[in-house]
Amino acid sequence: MTFKIIYFNVRGRCEAMRMLLADQGAQWEEEVVTFDVWQAGDLKKTCAFGQLPKFCHGDFEMYQSNAILRFLGRQFELYGKTHREAALIDMVNDGAEDLRMKYLTLIYKEYETAKSKYIEDLPSHLKYFECLLSKNHGGSGFIVGDQISFADYNLVDLLMIHQVLANDCLKGFPLLKAYVSRICSRPKIAAFLASDDHKKRPINGNGKQ
């Protein structure tokens, strides 16, 4: 069955999914929704919660980006080896969502007025991920356990977009910096990140990053 992502022409909330699918060697289709089509309202009325992304696997369809990541985690066995690992993966992903929401508030509502303050405060948020990473094999592998999980893709995407916002934001976090490099060096992820599909896709819908 074919995977399909229905979303705007941005990385946004789907780039972690794309990294996961690419790394797992899966094929997927993209259906790009223009902002004009979305604002017309007809598509929005058909979407659960009135939101994109929409994700399809054959005739199965679902919404909510983190639910989609968890679905893919189960589909590709990227959800830890034990119930405790699964719980920790959920915890990390929820923590990543907390920071992503702060980032999106900045990008779409407060970019001109709060960017400097956001960057100044960023270490206070990143330190938690550095600490969690340090407790798992000394930070030499993944965020939880000894195999990659859906939370790794989500966290790495989140850290990468923050490196665009403030390119030295990981300077004081050597484990996170090495972690991003290590995950991005996985051959299939590296190929995806080098592709035009990734490079030409804006991070956010308003051009700010």
Side-chain angles (χ1 to χ4, degrees):
M1 290 187 288
T2 303
F3 297 105
K4 180 186 283 189
I5 294 170
I6 298 98
Y7 196 46
F8 309 110
N9 184 36
V10 296
R11 299 179 194 176
R13 286 189 168 274
C14 285
E15 212 64 3
M17 299 174 208
R18 296 174 178 123
M19 289 171 62
L20 184 158
L21 290 167
D23 194 39
Q24 296 303 310
Q27 301 294 317
W28 75 95
E29 299 174 3
E30 298 267 359
E31 183 176 321
V32 176
V33 177
T34 67
F35 290 112
D36 287 343
V37 166
W38 183 249
Q39 289 171 356
D42 292 339
L43 174 59
K44 186 173 184 176
K45 292 175 184 177
T46 71
C47 296
F49 313 108
Q51 297 175 341
L52 294 176
K54 176 180 178 180
F55 186 85
C56 300
H57 184 212
D59 61 357
F60 174 69
E61 59 184 50
M62 63 181 300
Y63 300 83
Q64 295 290 344
S65 58
N66 287 296
I68 295 165
L69 283 172
R70 290 192 292 271
F71 168 76
L72 291 172
R74 296 183 182 96
Q75 184 75 21
F76 292 101
E77 298 184 349
L78 305 171
Y79 220 138
K81 294 179 178 178
T82 66
H83 291 310
R84 289 188 176 187
E85 284 190 358
L88 291 174
I89 289 166
D90 281 332
M91 181 187 76
V92 170
N93 203 64
D94 286 357
E97 175 65 12
D98 288 345
L99 182 54
R100 190 179 292 274
M101 287 302 298
K102 291 180 174 69
Y103 171 83
L104 292 174
T105 297
L106 172 73
I107 292 295
Y108 287 102
K109 296 181 178 180
E110 301 173 350
Y111 192 83
E112 285 75 17
T113 59
K115 180 180 177 182
S116 295
K117 178 64 173 171
Y118 183 94
I119 293 172
E120 179 184 339
D121 292 343
L122 188 54
S124 68
H125 304 298
L126 296 178
K127 69 181 182 182
Y128 298 117
F129 297 106
E130 179 86 356
C131 181
L132 287 169
L133 189 58
S134 74
K135 293 178 180 179
N136 188 41
H137 302 296
S140 63
F142 306 107
I143 194 68
V144 175
D146 59 7
Q147 66 181 30
I148 200 164
S149 72
F150 72 87
D152 287 296
Y153 300 106
N154 200 22
L155 179 55
V156 167
D157 173 59
L158 183 63
L159 294 172
M160 288 171 62
I161 62 177
H162 277 88
Q163 286 179 303
V164 174
L165 179 71
N167 61 11
D168 62 348
C169 68
L170 299 184
K171 183 178 180 181
F173 303 98
L175 295 180
L176 286 177
K177 186 174 181 180
Y179 167 73
V180 171
S181 296
R182 186 165 58 249
I183 300 300
C184 291
S185 295
R186 290 167 68 91
K188 292 176 182 177
I189 293 182
F192 170 74
L193 295 176
S195 70
D196 285 344
D197 284 344
H198 170 77
K199 291 192 294 183
K200 292 182 178 180
R201 190 180 289 124
I203 296 175
N204 301 302
N206 62 358
K208 297 174 183 177
Q209 58 184 34

